Amino acid sequence: MLLAANWKMNKTPTEARAFVREYLVALPRDVKTPTVILPPFPALTVLAEELEDVPPEKVSFGAQNLHNEVKGAFTGEVSASMLKDCGCRWATVGHSERRRIFGEQNEFLNKKLRAALSQNLTPIYCIGETLEEREAGKLEEILVTQLTEGFEGLSSASVERTVIAYEPVWAIGTGKTATPEQAQEAHAFVRRTLADKLQVNARKMEILYGGSVTPENAYSLLSQKDIDGALVGGASLKVDSLLSLLAASDRVLQEKK
Ligand code: PEP
C-alpha cells in the first residue's frame, strides 16, 4: 500500500515546511502505509531538510515531473539527476494534466521513464481514459496503448520497478469518483495487461487509483483486490485529510492485505 500526495501547483516552500512539520507530529508511530509527497519543484529541498531523519518507509518525497535529457539547453526543465541530488525517490510521469495541458505523449513519456529509472528514481506512471474514450468503449484499448508505448523497449526488471497510477481523467479534480467496481475492473485489466503484454511479474507491482479520492471514499476503493494505494490531489492538501486517508489505508492493510 502506498499513499501519494500530488500537490500539483500548490504550496510555497514555506507552506510545504509547515505542512510536513504538522504531519510528522500527527503521524501515528505504528503507521504502516508509506506516504509519498509530490510537491512543486521549489519545495523539494525543504522536504529533504524536514524528512532527513524520517525513514522513507514512513514518508518520502518525489517530483511531479521531470525532463528526459540529462542536461543542457532546455530552459525551464529539470533533469532526473537534479531530482536525485535533491533527495527525491520518486518521479511522476505522464500525469493526465501533463498529457492534456502540455501535450505529452506516450513516446515522450517513455523517455522520461527511462530517465527516471536511470537515476534510480521510482517512476509513478499515470495512465487513464477520458470520458469520451470510456463512453466510446475504448477503455481497454487506451490502457493497453499507454502501457505498451510508455514501456516500449524497457526490460521486465525496469517495468517492475515502476508504480502505475490508474487515473480516469474524468475523475481527476472533478469530484466524480470511479465506483470501487469500476476501479477494480480497470486495475485488474491493467495487471493482466502488464503480465500478458509486457511479460512482467504483475503481482509484484503496485497499481494506485487516482481520481477524487477523499477520506469518505478511500476505504471502499482501497479495499478492492487490485488497488494497492492511491494518488491523491485535492484531498492531500490538508494535514487532517491526508491523515484520514492514511488511516483508511492502514485499516485496509490490517483487515485484508
Ligand atoms: C491527481 O492529481 O492525480 C488527482 C487524482 O487529483 P484529485 O485527487 O484532486 O482528483
Side-chain angles (χ1 to χ4, degrees):
M1 279 297 221
L2 189 67
L3 187 58
N6 177 22
W7 284 354
K8 313 195 188 200
M9 199 168 73
N10 293 292
K11 295 196 194 293
T12 62
T14 307
E15 289 164 346
R17 192 186 297 282
F19 181 102
V20 173
R21 287 189 179 172
E22 196 184 330
Y23 191 67
L24 291 177
V25 168
L27 197 67
R29 275 190 174 278
D30 57 350
V31 68
K32 295 282 181 298
T33 304
T35 308
V36 174
I37 301 181
L38 305 164
F41 290 133
L44 290 174
T45 51
V46 164
L47 263 69
E49 286 166 19
E50 295 299 322
L51 297 174
E52 198 180 353
D53 299 323
V54 178
E57 304 76 45
K58 295 214 187 274
V59 188
S60 60
F61 66 96
Q64 297 172 17
N65 184 29
L66 80 165
H67 196 263
N68 59 292
E69 295 290 345
V70 175
K71 62 175 165 176
F74 300 97
T75 302
E77 294 296 338
V78 173
S79 72
S81 63
M82 293 171 189
L83 298 177
K84 189 71 184 174
D85 193 64
C86 284
C88 287
R89 288 176 172 261
W90 306 83
T92 319
V93 173
H95 190 279
S96 74
E97 286 150 18
R98 301 292 321 169
R99 291 178 186 265
R100 180 173 51 85
I101 306 170
F102 302 99
E104 298 189 1
Q105 296 186 352
N106 297 327
E107 198 185 333
F108 183 40
L109 299 174
N110 176 267
K111 294 183 182 158
K112 292 189 177 207
L113 287 167
R114 288 168 188 268
L117 289 162
S118 76
Q119 290 294 322
N120 276 326
L121 294 165
T122 302
I124 301 176
Y125 180 49
C126 303
I127 58 173
E129 81 290 1
T130 63
L131 189 58
E132 298 73 55
E133 288 162 347
R134 176 172 275 264
E135 286 176 347
K138 291 191 175 155
L139 169 63
E140 296 191 350
E141 181 189 327
I142 293 296
L143 296 180
V144 169
T145 305
Q146 289 172 334
L147 288 169
T148 52
E149 293 185 0
F151 288 127
E152 172 77 39
L154 290 178
S155 67
S156 306
S158 296
V159 177
E160 284 168 9
R161 281 165 53 208
T162 303
V163 168
I164 308 284
Y166 168 66
E167 302 202 296
V169 179
W170 47 272
I172 300 178
T174 58
K176 283 187 209 150
T177 323
T179 63
E181 295 72 28
Q182 282 174 322
Q184 164 57 29
E185 202 180 324
H187 279 234
F189 179 76
V190 168
R191 211 180 291 283
R192 275 203 307 280
T193 304
L194 288 166
D196 296 349
K197 299 246 191 277
L198 295 159
Q199 275 81 50
V200 300
N201 183 353
R203 279 276 137 232
K204 252 175 58 180
M205 291 183 65
E206 287 182 301
I207 307 174
L208 313 181
Y209 170 78
S212 298
V213 175
T214 63
E216 290 71 39
N217 62 28
Y219 177 78
S220 58
L221 286 160
L222 294 172
S223 314
Q224 300 301 312
K225 178 168 169 282
D226 286 290
I227 300 187
D228 306 315
L231 176 55
V232 188
S236 73
L237 292 170
K238 294 227 161 67
V239 170
D240 283 356
S241 162
L242 190 55
L243 286 167
S244 303
L245 297 172
L246 198 63
S249 174
D250 269 11
R251 189 178 145 208
V252 172
L253 270 179
Q254 222 165 18
E255 285 177 5
K256 75 169 252 259
K257 296 199 173 166

